[in-house]
Amino acid sequence: MSYSDIRLSLLWGGDVGGMMKFYWLLIMLMLLVACQGTLPTAQPGVRPTYLLQQLPESDLKQRLQACQHNTFYRSDFSIAHRGAPLMFPEHSLESYQAAITMGAGMVECDVAFTADQQLVCRHAQCDLHQTTDILLRPTLAEKCSQPFVAADPTTGTSASARCCTSDITVAEFSSLCAKMDGVNTAAQQVADYVKGTPVWRTELYTQCAKPMTHQESVALFKQQGVKMVPELKQAEVPMPFNSRYSQQQYAQQLVDDYKASGVPPSQVYLQSFNWQDIEYWLTFEPEFGRQAIWLDERYEQPGFDAMQPDSWQPSMQQLKDAGLNIIAPPLWVLVTEQKGKIVPSRYALAAKAAGLKIIAWSLERSAPLKTGGDWYYQSLPLTATDDSAVLQLLDVLAQDVGVIGVFSDWPATTTYYANCLLNPKH
């Protein structure tokens, strides 16, 4: 035994092996702390504090207040819905950067295609008239599927237009300015029609925000180190487009963009409302398909009831048996009220029992709840009477339903919650 071994033996009661194990554990702990210290920090800003002030006195409020002065980190629980469209034009560079700054660990690009069959980030294929300045650009406005039509007060006809990504090329799309979603349906002039931002949002950050192609979003997200949650949007033109571009080619092109950029499947969560898209990825791109997200809209089926499993077709078990691993319904489907409390719905319990992971959508998509009911909170008529319900609902989703992530129009709130109560660093 060497002199150093004798010293270790004296310090550790004769057990040199135990002492070495202790040192290895200490080294691993130091490495873990060092790795945590390199995680990207987040800036949740003032909105979580604003919501906390409205929250009734409770254990939840105390626990959330206790971490107000902590350092916050990026979290995969925080999923950016279209970026941060509560204040920034959706699917724009500025909106994505704001979401990442607020700590979103996963960021969404809704995907549509252009006339030259290139993929771009848009919530709907035919929403350019309400999310960009295309109608203010005469040469591009002429290409819209339906040009601007003024409101007619005498007949009660609303102003309208229809401009699609498939009406223009990707170069023309990239020349546009993204704006806050909304139109003024009472407008007589185009300039007034595009001014339709809801009063509870803001136009403070709309100085010609940059729209993003899908490939640009991939490059940005890869550079920023966030995971990618693209949604293949439903085509609003007959498919195959131009008699040659099929739905399957559309679904494959989305995956090919990630392969070409060297993004591993583990960083990508493909989404679609269209079950045939999910089946396609499961069959032809299984590495990407195994964490594809089916956006569940079975609530539109006649007779659907979130509390009645017999009303869901197909069943949760059938979905799991088909290869689905992640399901994503709207917020209200996952919860209900019971004796004055928010509790998981039978839908949520059945999804978990079948082994499905759950993602919810979309928090803070709503007008202030004190102004009245909202579609996203329709199963909580007694609870969702002010914005403190945002935090109450989030807590039930995380702790009782067990969702793995929540889409939000303002990711700071989900980032704040995740740091405080799911994966606190302090």
Side-chain angles (χ1 to χ4, degrees), residues 118-275:
Q118 297 300 305
L119 303 183
V120 296
C121 300
R122 269 312 87 195
H123 177 64
Q125 185 174 24
C126 297
D127 73 0
L128 295 182
H129 54 283
Q130 64 190 56
T131 62
T132 74
D133 65 348
I134 189 171
L135 290 176
L136 302 179
R137 303 185 181 218
T139 57
L140 295 181
E142 291 175 354
K143 298 186 177 185
C144 288
S145 297
Q146 177 199 315
F148 171 72
V149 176
D152 186 345
T154 60
T155 62
T157 304
S158 298
S160 62
R162 189 172 188 264
C163 303
C164 306
T165 58
S166 51
D167 293 335
I168 59 176
T169 67
V170 68
E172 291 168 331
F173 172 86
S174 294
S175 73
L176 298 172
C177 292
K179 75 175 192 69
M180 296 298 284
D181 183 15
V183 294
N184 174 9
T185 58
Q188 300 290 309
Q189 304 293 330
V190 168
D192 295 323
Y193 179 71
V194 299
K195 296 177 181 177
T197 304
V199 295
W200 45 274
R201 291 182 177 155
T202 179
E203 295 186 355
L204 186 61
Y205 307 110
T206 59
Q207 286 75 28
C208 195
K210 173 182 168 49
M212 300 287 283
T213 68
H214 179 241
Q215 291 181 355
E216 287 173 336
S217 78
V218 172
L220 173 66
F221 301 160
K222 184 178 179 181
Q223 187 270 329
Q224 294 285 336
V226 296
K227 294 179 181 177
M228 308 172 200
V229 198
E231 179 189 339
L232 196 72
K233 301 304 297 188
Q234 186 68 38
E236 296 184 41
V237 294
M239 297 293 277
F241 179 61
N242 287 340
S243 300
R244 61 178 183 272
Y245 184 61
S246 69
Q247 183 69 28
Q248 292 74 24
Q249 289 173 304
Y250 181 29
Q252 185 62 50
Q253 185 178 359
L254 177 61
V255 176
D256 288 345
D257 275 356
Y258 292 104
K259 290 182 173 180
S261 297
V263 179
S266 61
Q267 296 298 108
V268 182
Y269 292 74
L270 305 173
Q271 302 180 83
S272 182
F273 280 102
N274 184 354
W275 177 249

Side-chain angles (χ1 to χ4, degrees), residues 96-123:
Y96 288 149
Q97 190 57 66
I100 294 168
T101 299
M102 285 187 274
M106 304 172 70
V107 186
E108 177 186 52
C109 166
D110 291 327
V111 176
F113 57 84
T114 60
D116 48 352
Q117 295 163 27
Q118 297 300 305
L119 303 183
V120 296
C121 300
R122 269 312 87 195
H123 177 64

Side-chain angles (χ1 to χ4, degrees), residues 68-112:
Q68 286 185 87
H69 302 296
N70 286 1
T71 300
F72 293 88
Y73 296 89
R74 184 180 294 168
S75 171
D76 288 353
F77 182 81
S78 181
I79 308 176
H81 180 242
R82 315 187 200 182
L86 184 63
M87 294 191 186
F88 291 82
E90 62 186 46
H91 294 307
S92 67
L93 172 61
E94 291 79 358
S95 190
Y96 288 149
Q97 190 57 66
I100 294 168
T101 299
M102 285 187 274
M106 304 172 70
V107 186
E108 177 186 52
C109 166
D110 291 327
V111 176

